[in-house]
């Protein structure tokens, strides 16, 4: 493929993490992004009144809307959810099953094991500015993703298996694969097709980061106010498979739990749906007539160890600290029963799940024995933690558990940005506790594991573990699994290397929890709670 966008410098690693949301959906983003707004709207503003079919749907999202909106870069919960309504991939996926369906393309390839997938674009598909969607737009996006000189988050989802994308004619393209990779079909939703005539202009990718969004999807963005709200309107030119049911939508960003719950509560509720509902408010909302449903998935509290800081270079110490945690108490007290202790890196609902050979059931005696075998005594630990509310709720259980085995523990919750700034600056640390949910990218175990583990992976740079002989062998096993053509064999290979990840416990989940969504069933139908942050309203409608 020819190289593009050499005039656009690859973002600095800190900026890249900040913009992609890899710091977590709750990460604070520079206030300079507000410059693209004419000023914040009140979160009491529902974006316009109207009645009947023309009334505005108001949603409350518990994550910031001031992360990157560039679909090739973002991992921001708000922005990814919004982009799923604004943009289309050649294929998109069902928000729950993650099965691919034809979006901009006219059909799903009949042979997922082929190394050549040909797609015809939907006749009459147009961008929100009225210009037609063409093969040039498709090639433009994939060239950006695969360009070795342009650092994007999406590159990690495609570069290992996708060789190039070719234009056949104005409405037909071919994807050429390096080897058979059926999982790639569902990943195509992560390559949102963007208009070349807009985003090839100088500075346009910076505009995309700040919130400029022009796609071919059922809704067009009408206003964007960072730290306040983003508004949408049904796109009259949309002729695709999932028609817009709402004339207008207003998505409010309310990160603090109390005002978020208040916005959907009571007779004066200003919104019809909200995500990220605190467990403590479920009963209150249900008693007022709302439906509250959870999605169980990869959402997790994980521990990450600095393997260059003794004694965390010793696998026995890392294992001991996991065995010591009273996960049953954590699920009961902090998560109010809406979670499970991790029994694999993957959650139990993942299609590739298998109980790991090493499972960290609560065993303080085993924890003490492992520390003794490692020659460790009088250990003191400061846990550097993100201040996401449910993580903060879980931390006292970790401290009490470690204190109980003689490990003096100090909790240090901080803003997410502050935590990972220290990581980027290579400051010394012992243990990090944070939240993660790769399910927003899909259920594909290969994707999930490579998002967390790999020789050049940011997480592995933080752990300082990539040079370890066990790590080098693991990464080779992971790459072999990626290339394995037999589905059953590949699944077994993934499960086998996850056993290594579990045993090593360098970056590993403690608990997986449910994410709760609440909505008014008298006003909305077709809502399905998803197991990752955000909402999907492409199959919802007024009740």
């Amino acid at each position: 493929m020819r190289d593009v966008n050499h005039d656009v410098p690859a973002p600095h690693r800190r900026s890249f993490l900040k913009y992609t949301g890899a710091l977590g959906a709750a990460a604070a983003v520079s206030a300079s992004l507000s410059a693209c707004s004419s000023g914040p709207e009140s979160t009491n503003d529902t974006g316009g009144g109207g009645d009947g079919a023309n009334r505005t749907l108001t949603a409350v999202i518990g994550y910031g809307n001031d992360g990157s909106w560039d679909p090739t870069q973002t991992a921001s919960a708000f922005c990814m959810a919004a982009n799923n309504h604004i943009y289309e991939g050649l294929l998109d996926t069902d928000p729950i099953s993650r099965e691919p369906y034809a979006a901009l393309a006219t059909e799903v390839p009949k042979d997922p094991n082929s190394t050549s997938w040909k797609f015809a674009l939907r006749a009459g598909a147009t961008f929100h500015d009225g210009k037609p969607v063409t093969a040039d737009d498709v090639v433009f996006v994939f060239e950006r993703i695969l360009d070795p000189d342009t650092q994007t988050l999406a590159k990690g989802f495609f570069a290992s298996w996708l060789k190039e994308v070719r234009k056949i004619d104005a409405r037909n393209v071919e994807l050429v694969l390096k080897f058979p990779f059926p999982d790639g079909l569902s990943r195509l939703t992560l390559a949102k097709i963007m208009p070349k005539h807009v985003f090839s202009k100088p500075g346009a990718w910076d505009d995309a980061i700040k919130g400029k969004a022009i796609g071919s999807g059922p809704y067009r963005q009408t206003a964007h106010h960072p730290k306040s709200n983003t508004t949408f309107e049904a796109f009259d030119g949309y002729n695709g498979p999932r028609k817009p049911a709402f004339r207008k939508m207003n998505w409010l960003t309310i990160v603090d739990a109390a005002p978020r719950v208040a916005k959907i509560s009571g007779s004066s509720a200003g919104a019809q749906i909200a995500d990220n509902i605190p467990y403590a408010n479920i009963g209150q909302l249900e008693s007022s007539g709302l439906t509250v449903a959870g999605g169980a998935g990869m959402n997790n509290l994980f521990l990450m160890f600095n393997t260059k800081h003794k004694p965390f270079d010793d696998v026995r110490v890392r294992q001991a600290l996991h065995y010591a945690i009273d996960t049953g108490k954590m699920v009961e007290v902090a998560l109010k029963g809406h979670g499970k202790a991790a029994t694999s890196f993957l959650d139990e609902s993942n299609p590739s799940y298998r109980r790991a050979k090493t499972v960290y059931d609560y065993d303080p005696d085993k924890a003490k024995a492992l520390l003794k075998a490692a020659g460790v005594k009088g250990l003191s630990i400061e846990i550097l933690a993100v201040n996401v509310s449910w993580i903060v709720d879980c931390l006292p259980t970790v401290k009490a558990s470690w204190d109980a085995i003689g490990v003096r523990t100090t909790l240090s919750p901080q803003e997410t940005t502050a935590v990972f700034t220290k990581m980027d600056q290579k400051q010394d640390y012992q243990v990090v506790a944070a939240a993660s949910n790769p399910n927003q990218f899909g259920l594909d175990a290969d994707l999930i594991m490579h998002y967390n583990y790999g020789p050049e992976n940011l997480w592995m740079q933080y752990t300082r573990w990539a040079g370890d002989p066990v790590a080098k062998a693991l990464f080779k096993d992971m790459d072999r699994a990626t290339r394995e053509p037999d589905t059953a064999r590949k699944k077994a290979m993934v499960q086998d290397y996850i056993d290594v990840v579990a045993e090593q416990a360098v970056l590993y989940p403690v608990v997986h929890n449910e994410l709760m969504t609440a909505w008014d069933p008298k006003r909305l139908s077709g809502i399905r709670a998803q197991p990752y942050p955000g909402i999907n309203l492409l199959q919802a409608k007024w009740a």
Side-chain angles (χ1 to χ4, degrees):
M1 306 188 74
R2 60 186 177 86
D3 294 337
V4 294
N5 293 328
H6 289 306
D7 58 323
V8 181
H12 181 271
R13 189 153 59 96
R14 164 108 304 271
S15 299
F16 173 61
L17 270 179
K18 179 173 71 177
Y19 288 144
T20 61
L23 302 185
V29 180
S30 171
S32 65
L33 292 186
S34 64
C36 68
S37 167
S38 58
E41 292 186 359
S42 165
T43 52
N44 292 318
D45 180 3
T46 58
D51 51 31
N54 290 321
R55 62 195 185 277
T56 297
L57 178 138
T58 301
V60 183
I61 310 298
Y63 306 91
N65 72 340
D66 53 355
S68 172
W69 284 69
D70 174 358
T72 71
Q73 297 236 66
T74 191
S76 158
F78 189 112
C79 306
M80 283 193 73
N83 281 344
N84 285 335
H85 296 72
I86 296 169
Y87 292 99
E88 298 176 279
L90 290 170
L91 306 179
D92 281 324
T93 59
D94 180 87
I96 307 301
S97 72
R98 313 310 280 269
E99 283 296 313
Y101 63 88
L104 262 177
T106 56
E107 63 179 358
V108 178
K110 293 180 173 60
D111 182 8
N113 289 298
S114 173
T115 55
S116 171
W117 295 334
K118 293 181 179 177
F119 295 95
L121 300 181
R122 187 176 71 237
T126 59
F127 289 112
H128 298 155
D129 62 1
K131 300 289 180 61
V133 181
T134 70
D136 289 331
D137 301 302
V138 177
V139 172
F140 167 71
V141 168
F142 279 102
E143 284 189 330
R144 171 173 169 80
I145 290 172
L146 296 178
D147 179 7
D149 296 321
T150 302
Q151 180 65 12
T152 63
L153 185 65
K155 180 185 294 183
F157 304 145
F158 291 94
S160 65
W161 56 274
L162 182 60
K163 182 179 179 182
E164 63 178 320
V165 176
R166 298 170 178 166
K167 173 183 176 180
I168 298 173
D169 58 34
R171 287 191 50 241
N172 290 272
V173 296
E174 179 187 13
L175 272 63
V176 182
L177 281 62
K178 297 176 182 178
F179 47 83
F181 193 70
D183 287 337
L185 290 176
S186 62
R187 293 194 192 184
L188 293 182
T189 190
L190 300 173
K192 300 300 187 188
I193 305 308
M194 306 169 73
K196 179 179 180 180
H197 65 273
V198 173
F199 291 103
S200 62
K201 294 179 180 178
W205 289 113
D206 286 337
D207 292 339
I209 287 169
K210 295 175 184 177
K212 185 171 187 174
I214 300 174
S216 61
Y219 293 94
R220 63 184 185 88
Q221 186 196 79
T222 51
H224 176 53
H225 303 272
K227 302 186 184 296
S228 173
N229 69 315
T230 303
T231 61
F232 312 81
E233 189 169 273
F235 175 43
D236 292 334
Y238 178 73
N239 66 347
R242 301 206 166 173
K243 309 294 183 187
F246 309 104
R247 173 49 47 188
K248 293 182 179 180
M249 297 194 299
N250 185 34
W251 289 19
L252 312 176
T253 169
I254 306 179
V255 176
D256 293 339
R260 186 167 66 252
V261 171
K263 196 68 180 177
I264 199 172
S265 303
S267 57
S268 60
Q272 297 87 43
I273 183 171
D275 78 339
N276 197 17
I277 297 298
Y279 305 126
N281 295 106
I282 294 173
Q284 164 206 341
L285 294 176
E286 288 180 333
S287 65
S288 68
L290 298 183
T291 297
V292 184
M298 270 292 293
N299 209 60
N300 68 85
L301 159 65
F302 68 85
L303 296 180
M304 178 172 70
F305 293 93
N306 178 0
T307 61
K308 294 301 183 186
H309 187 125
K310 290 185 178 296
F312 309 110
D313 58 331
D314 192 320
V315 65
R316 294 170 295 185
V317 175
R318 302 193 297 266
Q319 289 179 339
L321 294 170
H322 272 278
Y323 278 119
I325 299 173
D326 189 346
T327 49
K329 180 180 179 181
M330 183 181 289
V331 169
E332 176 188 359
V333 175
L335 304 181
K336 312 297 183 189
H338 294 278
K340 290 185 176 180
T343 55
S344 166
F345 196 95
L346 302 175
D347 64 285
E348 294 181 15
S349 63
N350 189 284
S352 294
Y353 169 83
R354 183 181 74 191
R355 184 179 171 90
K357 288 183 178 178
T358 304
V359 175
Y360 297 101
D361 295 322
Y362 178 47
D363 192 338
D365 290 336
K366 188 168 188 176
K368 290 184 212 177
L370 283 165
L371 289 177
K372 184 177 181 180
V376 173
K377 55 186 177 181
L379 180 61
S380 296
I381 294 178
E382 178 186 39
I383 301 177
L384 183 62
V386 300
N387 65 349
V388 175
S389 58
W390 72 271
I391 296 289
V392 172
D393 291 342
C394 290
L395 291 176
T397 301
V398 179
K399 172 176 167 53
S401 299
W402 288 1
D403 285 345
I405 63 165
V407 175
R408 294 186 299 277
T409 306
T410 303
L411 302 178
S412 182
Q414 301 175 22
E415 289 287 342
T416 303
T417 316
V419 172
F420 286 94
T421 294
K422 293 181 179 181
M423 301 296 101
D424 284 338
Q425 293 174 349
K426 295 182 170 55
Q427 293 185 25
D428 190 35
Y429 76 97
Q430 294 172 294
V431 185
V432 163
S436 179
N437 193 336
N439 276 168
Q440 59 189 339
F441 306 117
L443 299 177
D444 172 358
D446 179 273
L447 182 156
I448 290 169
M449 298 311 299
H450 278 87
Y451 177 72
N452 290 278
Y453 280 81
E456 298 179 0
N457 186 287
L458 277 172
W459 298 111
M460 292 298 96
Q461 291 180 37
Y462 295 154
T463 64
R464 285 91 153 168
W465 189 63
D468 188 282
V470 177
K472 291 179 178 179
L474 169 68
F475 301 150
K476 289 179 181 178
D477 289 343
M478 293 175 71
D479 289 341
R480 278 193 287 268
T482 297
R483 293 175 172 269
E484 174 55 50
D486 182 81
T487 303
R489 174 65 184 147
K490 177 175 182 173
K491 181 177 179 179
M493 292 170 72
V494 170
Q495 292 168 336
D496 287 346
Y497 75 62
I498 288 177
D499 284 340
V500 176
V501 170
E503 179 188 44
Q504 292 297 310
V506 171
L507 184 157
Y508 201 72
V510 176
V511 289
H512 293 105
N513 70 322
E514 283 186 284
L515 292 173
M516 312 304 293
T517 302
W519 66 92
D520 186 346
K522 294 188 286 296
R523 301 167 82 181
L524 293 178
S525 66
I527 303 294
R528 293 181 292 166
Q530 59 190 38
Y532 48 96
I535 56 175
N536 188 300
L537 300 173
L538 295 180
Q539 292 177 296
K541 58 184 179 181
W542 293 116

